[in-house]
Amino acid sequence: MRSRKGITELFATFLQFDADRVVGWATDARLRRNITNRQNKLSQPEDSEDFWVSYWYKEWQSQTKNLASGHLSAYLQEVCYWAANKTATNFSSGQFTLSDCFQAIVTKTDKVLQGFKPDMGFNIKNYASAIFSSELKELLRQQKEVDISTDWRLLRKLTQKRLVESLENAGLHGQKVESYVLLWKCYQALYAPRKEKGTRKLARPDDTVWQSIAQLYNKERQTQLSKSGPECSGQAAEKCLLSCAKAVRAYLYPNMASLNATTGDNGGEFQDILPQLRQDSLLSEIVVQEEIEERKSQQSQISDVLIAAIAELDEQGQNIIKYYYQGNLKQSQIAKELGVKQYTISRRLSKCKEALLIKLATWTKESMHISLDSSVLDYMSTVLEEWLQNYYKPEDSN
């Protein structure tokens, strides 16, 4: 994959795939025009990535989200690609190709932007890499579970929240969703097969069970639904629950299409039909530059804090961290290397990362005067994980 050069390429081009191979970079004409216009309005040429990341992120925070998010999505293409490449390589999945993985998580750019906290001094690429990787791992984990489960097993292990999300994603609302959820509850209550080996291959309930499910539903609908609706037969109950399983599979395993894919005969792209939002006035160049310098200083201080915290760990803790991140070893391999039990490695690794997180949180509260709550600590934990991977990354690796 050719590395991009220049601000226009970095913020206005997107990866192109041919099957599972990267073939180049496609330029988005609107983004190219937009960044060219902005560059021409600056008092002096600006070629700093940090400047434009801060510039577009501030604009994204305002009401001009469409083009700003497009520029930031373009900027994070390589990060997304390498997250997909690494995760797909380490996760055994015959369903997803590399391009599938890339397309699955490139749509999570808005989640990255919504969770990113520039005032805490972290790098958006590092944060994005952590989010892209975790989102893809969860998608692959869910899909692997879905792929090996029968419809009946899938319906048994499903949560009500996931079922409602799946049905709404399929276009169902209101009373229809209520009815399906109640029917699913009746299924959960009455279909309790004996636990045997290989329950992912759970068999279809027999006709007697379906009749019982229908009878319970017909009784409960009188009080549990906003409108009681018609009675349900055993055959109809089975058909409805199969529709539920189909909706869940479609929700967890959506068809993937790039924002740069063509929309039809006119050769346009999906991005072209996104609603245009008004462009606010230009941000102050001075403010952006000052924020960049402050963020670089914060990033340097954060690294110093974490490096010092690692040095405070005992020798075994430092070795475990190093083997895990630099050697890319599994916990079982580290246990063999150090001559201890695997559960000891798991416990020590968690304790070491917890110690680093506490040091980082304490410094953040005292130096940056940021209140600590669960969302801030979750954010720090995500960034800490990516920092450790980068800190211990071999010099000759990508």
Side-chain angles (χ1 to χ4, degrees):
M1 180 175 63
R2 177 182 67 82
S3 296
R4 294 179 291 179
K5 296 180 180 179
I7 296 302
T8 301
E9 264 204 311
L10 283 171
F11 290 92
T13 59
F14 295 83
L15 275 174
Q16 280 189 314
F17 285 85
D18 180 7
D20 205 32
R21 185 172 63 91
V22 174
V23 294
W25 295 95
T27 301
D28 183 292
R30 287 191 308 145
L31 296 181
R32 182 181 59 192
R33 287 194 300 269
N34 189 51
I35 197 167
T36 299
N37 290 337
R38 300 303 179 92
Q39 286 175 314
N40 291 337
K41 291 180 180 179
L42 295 179
S43 59
Q44 58 184 12
E46 181 55 68
D47 295 324
S48 164
E49 286 183 36
D50 290 338
F51 173 89
W52 288 106
V53 168
S54 182
Y55 185 98
W56 296 124
Y57 187 77
K58 273 187 168 295
E59 191 152 307
W60 179 85
Q61 288 180 307
S62 69
Q63 297 183 24
T64 320
K65 290 181 182 284
N66 186 27
L67 289 175
S69 64
H71 286 299
L72 291 168
S73 179
Y75 180 67
L76 295 174
Q77 291 282 292
E78 281 114 335
V79 177
C80 184
Y81 173 82
W82 290 115
N85 183 287
K86 180 180 178 181
T87 305
T89 300
N90 295 333
F91 202 104
S92 57
S93 173
Q95 291 283 351
F96 286 108
T97 64
L98 172 59
S99 59
D100 289 333
C101 292
F102 176 85
Q103 298 293 355
I105 56 172
V106 75
T107 58
K108 303 296 183 181
T109 300
D110 270 353
K111 182 171 183 177
V112 171
L113 300 180
Q114 288 164 6
F116 181 55
K117 300 181 188 300
D119 56 328
M120 293 179 63
F122 296 113
N123 183 287
I124 192 171
K125 282 188 173 181
N126 292 345
Y127 180 68
S129 179
I131 295 299
F132 286 146
S133 296
S134 64
E135 287 289 317
L136 182 55
K137 287 175 184 176
E138 178 62 15
L139 172 65
L140 294 176
R141 185 197 66 76
Q142 288 179 350
Q143 188 52 47
K144 184 176 181 180
E145 182 69 21
V146 169
D147 284 344
I148 61 179
S149 296
T150 63
D151 289 335
W152 317 118
R153 165 65 178 170
L154 183 61
L155 289 167
R156 283 287 302 171
K157 68 184 289 293
L158 196 62
T159 64
Q160 182 173 331
K161 180 176 181 292
R162 180 56 54 79
L163 175 59
V164 171
E165 290 172 347
S166 301
L167 293 173
E168 290 178 345
N169 182 66
L172 303 180
H173 300 282
Q175 188 180 357
K176 197 76 171 177
V177 172
E178 279 187 21
S179 300
Y180 277 38
V181 170
L182 178 58
L183 195 54
W184 168 77
K185 287 181 177 178
C186 295
Y187 169 84
Q188 291 272 14
L190 295 178
Y191 186 41
R194 290 168 50 195
K195 282 192 174 181
E196 296 179 0
K197 197 172 181 180
T199 53
R200 289 188 178 94
K201 302 300 180 184
L202 206 59
R204 168 189 176 274
D206 60 35
D207 292 341
T208 304
V209 174
W210 283 118
Q211 290 301 325
S212 299
I213 291 172
Q215 289 173 8
L216 179 59
Y217 172 83
N218 291 332
K219 176 183 176 182
E220 294 294 323
R221 69 189 172 90
Q222 304 290 343
T223 56
Q224 298 299 316
L225 300 179
S226 55
K227 292 184 180 179
S228 60
E231 287 194 349
C232 179
S233 66
Q235 187 177 8
E238 181 178 1
K239 184 177 179 181
C240 289
L241 285 171
L242 283 172
S243 296
C244 289
K246 183 178 179 181
V248 172
R249 292 185 190 278
Y251 180 63
L252 295 179
Y253 195 7
N255 291 325
M256 298 169 194
S258 170
L259 287 175
N260 302 110
T262 56
T263 58
D265 296 336
N266 61 6
E269 297 179 351
F270 288 123
Q271 284 188 337
D272 295 333
I273 61 175
L274 293 174
Q276 292 284 347
L277 301 177
R278 67 182 181 86
Q279 294 188 3
D280 290 337
S281 59
L282 286 174
L283 300 173
S284 166
E285 298 172 49
I286 296 177
V287 172
V288 173
Q289 289 288 8
E290 287 179 348
E291 290 183 349
I292 290 170
E293 293 304 317
E294 182 180 0
R295 198 166 304 147
K296 285 181 178 178
S297 174
Q298 290 171 344
Q299 289 171 3
S300 176
Q301 293 176 63
I302 288 169
S303 288
D304 290 343
V305 168
L306 291 174
I307 291 171
I310 290 173
E312 291 178 9
L313 298 174
D314 61 28
E315 184 178 357
Q316 186 187 62
Q318 291 184 38
N319 286 334
I320 290 173
I321 289 280
K322 186 174 181 179
Y323 282 134
Y324 187 76
Y325 288 100
Q326 189 176 71
N328 200 28
L329 299 181
K330 296 181 180 178
Q331 291 183 14
S332 57
Q333 295 172 308
I334 300 174
K336 185 177 180 180
E337 184 75 24
L338 297 181
V340 297
K341 299 292 185 181
Q342 181 175 342
Y343 65 78
T344 301
I345 299 299
S346 177
R347 184 171 65 247
R348 286 303 315 276
L349 183 61
S350 296
K351 288 291 185 182
C352 288
K353 290 199 287 187
E354 181 180 314
L356 298 181
L357 182 59
I358 290 173
K359 288 285 187 181
L360 178 58
T362 302
W363 179 86
T364 301
K365 182 178 180 181
E366 293 176 352
S367 302
M368 301 178 68
H369 310 293
I370 294 177
S371 299
L372 301 179
D373 56 28
S374 59
S375 64
V376 171
L377 290 174
D378 284 344
Y379 180 85
M380 286 185 182
S381 179
T382 299
V383 175
L384 172 62
E385 185 71 20
E386 187 64 19
W387 184 89
L388 287 167
Q389 291 180 12
N390 279 278
Y391 180 68
Y392 284 103
K393 182 170 62 177
E395 292 182 2
D396 59 346
S397 65
N398 288 317

PDB file of all heavy atoms in Angstrom, residues 18 45 48 68 74 83 101 117 122 154 199 239 275 277 316 319 335 346-347 382:
ATOM      1  N   ASP A  18      -9.489  -4.196  -4.789  1.00  0.00           N
ATOM      2  CA  ASP A  18      -9.901  -5.090  -5.869  1.00  0.00           C
ATOM      3  C   ASP A  18      -9.909  -6.473  -5.248  1.00  0.00           C
ATOM      4  O   ASP A  18      -8.847  -7.041  -4.967  1.00  0.00           O
ATOM      5  CB  ASP A  18      -8.910  -5.029  -7.035  1.00  0.00           C
ATOM      6  CG  ASP A  18      -9.332  -5.952  -8.175  1.00  0.00           C
ATOM      7  OD1 ASP A  18     -10.432  -6.507  -8.102  1.00  0.00           O
ATOM      8  OD2 ASP A  18      -8.547  -6.119  -9.125  1.00  0.00           O
ATOM      9  N   PRO A  45       0.726  29.147   4.135  1.00  0.00           N
ATOM     10  CA  PRO A  45       0.563  27.708   3.878  1.00  0.00           C
ATOM     11  C   PRO A  45       0.768  26.894   5.153  1.00  0.00           C
ATOM     12  O   PRO A  45       1.614  27.221   5.977  1.00  0.00           O
ATOM     13  CB  PRO A  45       1.648  27.407   2.837  1.00  0.00           C
ATOM     14  CG  PRO A  45       1.945  28.721   2.196  1.00  0.00           C
ATOM     15  CD  PRO A  45       1.761  29.752   3.273  1.00  0.00           C
ATOM     16  N   SER A  48       1.017  20.952   8.292  1.00  0.00           N
ATOM     17  CA  SER A  48       1.074  20.110   9.479  1.00  0.00           C
ATOM     18  C   SER A  48      -0.174  19.223   9.589  1.00  0.00           C
ATOM     19  O   SER A  48      -1.305  19.721   9.546  1.00  0.00           O
ATOM     20  CB  SER A  48       1.195  20.974  10.736  1.00  0.00           C
ATOM     21  OG  SER A  48       0.897  20.241  11.890  1.00  0.00           O
ATOM     22  N   ALA A  68     -16.422  17.713   7.379  1.00  0.00           N
ATOM     23  CA  ALA A  68     -15.375  17.526   8.383  1.00  0.00           C
ATOM     24  C   ALA A  68     -15.188  16.045   8.706  1.00  0.00           C
ATOM     25  O   ALA A  68     -14.066  15.550   8.789  1.00  0.00           O
ATOM     26  CB  ALA A  68     -15.710  18.311   9.649  1.00  0.00           C
ATOM     27  N   ALA A  74     -11.145  10.100   5.875  1.00  0.00           N
ATOM     28  CA  ALA A  74     -10.053   9.903   4.915  1.00  0.00           C
ATOM     29  C   ALA A  74      -8.715   9.789   5.650  1.00  0.00           C
ATOM     30  O   ALA A  74      -7.895   8.915   5.354  1.00  0.00           O
ATOM     31  CB  ALA A  74     -10.022  11.061   3.919  1.00  0.00           C
ATOM     32  N   ALA A  83      -5.602  -1.858  11.433  1.00  0.00           N
ATOM     33  CA  ALA A  83      -6.391  -2.511  12.491  1.00  0.00           C
ATOM     34  C   ALA A  83      -7.115  -3.730  11.928  1.00  0.00           C
ATOM     35  O   ALA A  83      -7.158  -4.796  12.557  1.00  0.00           O
ATOM     36  CB  ALA A  83      -7.393  -1.524  13.085  1.00  0.00           C
ATOM     37  N   CYS A 101     -13.478  -6.859   6.494  1.00  0.00           N
ATOM     38  CA  CYS A 101     -13.159  -6.321   7.827  1.00  0.00           C
ATOM     39  C   CYS A 101     -12.976  -4.809   7.772  1.00  0.00           C
ATOM     40  O   CYS A 101     -13.455  -4.076   8.642  1.00  0.00           O
ATOM     41  CB  CYS A 101     -11.902  -6.992   8.384  1.00  0.00           C
ATOM     42  SG  CYS A 101     -12.118  -8.737   8.789  1.00  0.00           S
ATOM     43  N   LYS A 117     -11.147  12.502  22.982  1.00  0.00           N
ATOM     44  CA  LYS A 117     -11.077  13.634  23.913  1.00  0.00           C
ATOM     45  C   LYS A 117      -9.740  14.357  23.701  1.00  0.00           C
ATOM     46  O   LYS A 117      -8.751  14.063  24.379  1.00  0.00           O
ATOM     47  CB  LYS A 117     -11.209  13.149  25.360  1.00  0.00           C
ATOM     48  CG  LYS A 117     -12.515  12.422  25.654  1.00  0.00           C
ATOM     49  CD  LYS A 117     -12.596  12.002  27.106  1.00  0.00           C
ATOM     50  CE  LYS A 117     -13.802  11.122  27.366  1.00  0.00           C
ATOM     51  NZ  LYS A 117     -15.084  11.770  27.057  1.00  0.00           N
ATOM     52  N   PHE A 122      -4.285  13.032  24.025  1.00  0.00           N
ATOM     53  CA  PHE A 122      -3.984  11.792  23.328  1.00  0.00           C
ATOM     54  C   PHE A 122      -4.058  11.973  21.820  1.00  0.00           C
ATOM     55  O   PHE A 122      -4.702  12.885  21.309  1.00  0.00           O
ATOM     56  CB  PHE A 122      -4.946  10.687  23.768  1.00  0.00           C
ATOM     57  CG  PHE A 122      -4.812  10.333  25.223  1.00  0.00           C
ATOM     58  CD1 PHE A 122      -5.838  10.598  26.120  1.00  0.00           C
ATOM     59  CD2 PHE A 122      -3.650   9.749  25.691  1.00  0.00           C
ATOM     60  CE1 PHE A 122      -5.710  10.280  27.454  1.00  0.00           C
ATOM     61  CE2 PHE A 122      -3.520   9.423  27.035  1.00  0.00           C
ATOM     62  CZ  PHE A 122      -4.548   9.682  27.922  1.00  0.00           C
ATOM     63  N   LEU A 154     -29.723 -19.671  18.859  1.00  0.00           N
ATOM     64  CA  LEU A 154     -29.571 -18.218  18.790  1.00  0.00           C
ATOM     65  C   LEU A 154     -30.679 -17.530  19.575  1.00  0.00           C
ATOM     66  O   LEU A 154     -30.438 -16.578  20.327  1.00  0.00           O
ATOM     67  CB  LEU A 154     -29.600 -17.767  17.333  1.00  0.00           C
ATOM     68  CG  LEU A 154     -29.392 -16.277  17.049  1.00  0.00           C
ATOM     69  CD1 LEU A 154     -28.020 -15.824  17.539  1.00  0.00           C
ATOM     70  CD2 LEU A 154     -29.536 -16.005  15.564  1.00  0.00           C
ATOM     71  N   THR A 199     -24.642 -27.816  22.436  1.00  0.00           N
ATOM     72  CA  THR A 199     -25.954 -27.168  22.451  1.00  0.00           C
ATOM     73  C   THR A 199     -26.092 -26.067  21.415  1.00  0.00           C
ATOM     74  O   THR A 199     -27.171 -25.543  21.218  1.00  0.00           O
ATOM     75  CB  THR A 199     -26.242 -26.569  23.845  1.00  0.00           C
ATOM     76  OG1 THR A 199     -25.155 -25.726  24.218  1.00  0.00           O
ATOM     77  CG2 THR A 199     -26.427 -27.661  24.867  1.00  0.00           C
ATOM     78  N   LYS A 239     -43.110 -19.612  12.751  1.00  0.00           N
ATOM     79  CA  LYS A 239     -42.781 -18.736  11.629  1.00  0.00           C
ATOM     80  C   LYS A 239     -42.289 -17.375  12.118  1.00  0.00           C
ATOM     81  O   LYS A 239     -41.304 -16.821  11.599  1.00  0.00           O
ATOM     82  CB  LYS A 239     -44.015 -18.566  10.736  1.00  0.00           C
ATOM     83  CG  LYS A 239     -43.756 -17.742   9.488  1.00  0.00           C
ATOM     84  CD  LYS A 239     -45.017 -17.672   8.619  1.00  0.00           C
ATOM     85  CE  LYS A 239     -44.756 -16.823   7.375  1.00  0.00           C
ATOM     86  NZ  LYS A 239     -45.975 -16.728   6.517  1.00  0.00           N
ATOM     87  N   PRO A 275     -26.696  14.684   3.218  1.00  0.00           N
ATOM     88  CA  PRO A 275     -27.173  16.065   3.267  1.00  0.00           C
ATOM     89  C   PRO A 275     -26.039  17.049   3.469  1.00  0.00           C
ATOM     90  O   PRO A 275     -25.146  16.836   4.280  1.00  0.00           O
ATOM     91  CB  PRO A 275     -28.123  16.071   4.483  1.00  0.00           C
ATOM     92  CG  PRO A 275     -27.665  14.922   5.315  1.00  0.00           C
ATOM     93  CD  PRO A 275     -27.207  13.881   4.348  1.00  0.00           C
ATOM     94  N   LEU A 277     -24.487  20.298   4.900  1.00  0.00           N
ATOM     95  CA  LEU A 277     -24.709  21.162   6.041  1.00  0.00           C
ATOM     96  C   LEU A 277     -23.968  22.464   5.825  1.00  0.00           C
ATOM     97  O   LEU A 277     -22.970  22.524   5.115  1.00  0.00           O
ATOM     98  CB  LEU A 277     -24.212  20.487   7.323  1.00  0.00           C
ATOM     99  CG  LEU A 277     -24.881  19.136   7.634  1.00  0.00           C
ATOM    100  CD1 LEU A 277     -24.261  18.541   8.884  1.00  0.00           C
ATOM    101  CD2 LEU A 277     -26.382  19.303   7.820  1.00  0.00           C
ATOM    102  N   GLN A 316       9.248  -8.969  37.579  1.00  0.00           N
ATOM    103  CA  GLN A 316       8.324  -9.900  36.928  1.00  0.00           C
ATOM    104  C   GLN A 316       7.232  -9.153  36.176  1.00  0.00           C
ATOM    105  O   GLN A 316       6.878  -9.505  35.050  1.00  0.00           O
ATOM    106  CB  GLN A 316       7.685 -10.845  37.960  1.00  0.00           C
ATOM    107  CG  GLN A 316       6.828 -11.936  37.308  1.00  0.00           C
ATOM    108  CD  GLN A 316       6.050 -12.760  38.317  1.00  0.00           C
ATOM    109  OE1 GLN A 316       5.213 -12.213  39.045  1.00  0.00           O
ATOM    110  NE2 GLN A 316       6.340 -14.048  38.366  1.00  0.00           N
ATOM    111  N   ASN A 319       8.590  -7.744  32.980  1.00  0.00           N
ATOM    112  CA  ASN A 319       8.802  -8.797  31.986  1.00  0.00           C
ATOM    113  C   ASN A 319       7.494  -9.258  31.367  1.00  0.00           C
ATOM    114  O   ASN A 319       7.411  -9.491  30.158  1.00  0.00           O
ATOM    115  CB  ASN A 319       9.522  -9.992  32.622  1.00  0.00           C
ATOM    116  CG  ASN A 319      10.996  -9.719  32.873  1.00  0.00           C
ATOM    117  OD1 ASN A 319      11.595  -8.897  32.183  1.00  0.00           O
ATOM    118  ND2 ASN A 319      11.577 -10.373  33.856  1.00  0.00           N
ATOM    119  N   ALA A 335       3.672 -17.761  30.561  1.00  0.00           N
ATOM    120  CA  ALA A 335       3.728 -18.611  31.754  1.00  0.00           C
ATOM    121  C   ALA A 335       4.830 -19.658  31.622  1.00  0.00           C
ATOM    122  O   ALA A 335       5.592 -19.916  32.565  1.00  0.00           O
ATOM    123  CB  ALA A 335       2.376 -19.283  31.973  1.00  0.00           C
ATOM    124  N   SER A 346      -2.176 -14.051  34.040  1.00  0.00           N
ATOM    125  CA  SER A 346      -3.413 -13.288  33.806  1.00  0.00           C
ATOM    126  C   SER A 346      -3.654 -12.286  34.924  1.00  0.00           C
ATOM    127  O   SER A 346      -3.973 -11.118  34.668  1.00  0.00           O
ATOM    128  CB  SER A 346      -4.598 -14.263  33.696  1.00  0.00           C
ATOM    129  OG  SER A 346      -5.802 -13.554  33.539  1.00  0.00           O
ATOM    130  N   ARG A 347      -3.476 -12.756  36.169  1.00  0.00           N
ATOM    131  CA  ARG A 347      -3.710 -11.873  37.320  1.00  0.00           C
ATOM    132  C   ARG A 347      -2.672 -10.757  37.374  1.00  0.00           C
ATOM    133  O   ARG A 347      -3.013  -9.595  37.580  1.00  0.00           O
ATOM    134  CB  ARG A 347      -3.689 -12.696  38.607  1.00  0.00           C
ATOM    135  CG  ARG A 347      -4.018 -11.877  39.851  1.00  0.00           C
ATOM    136  CD  ARG A 347      -4.196 -12.745  41.073  1.00  0.00           C
ATOM    137  NE  ARG A 347      -2.961 -13.421  41.429  1.00  0.00           N
ATOM    138  CZ  ARG A 347      -2.764 -14.737  41.359  1.00  0.00           C
ATOM    139  NH1 ARG A 347      -3.742 -15.525  40.934  1.00  0.00           N
ATOM    140  NH2 ARG A 347      -1.609 -15.276  41.710  1.00  0.00           N
ATOM    141  N   THR A 382      -8.698   2.581  27.223  1.00  0.00           N
ATOM    142  CA  THR A 382      -8.571   2.316  25.786  1.00  0.00           C
ATOM    143  C   THR A 382      -7.275   2.895  25.243  1.00  0.00           C
ATOM    144  O   THR A 382      -6.536   2.238  24.509  1.00  0.00           O
ATOM    145  CB  THR A 382      -9.762   2.924  25.022  1.00  0.00           C
ATOM    146  OG1 THR A 382     -10.969   2.326  25.483  1.00  0.00           O
ATOM    147  CG2 THR A 382      -9.638   2.686  23.526  1.00  0.00           C
TER     148      THR A 382
END
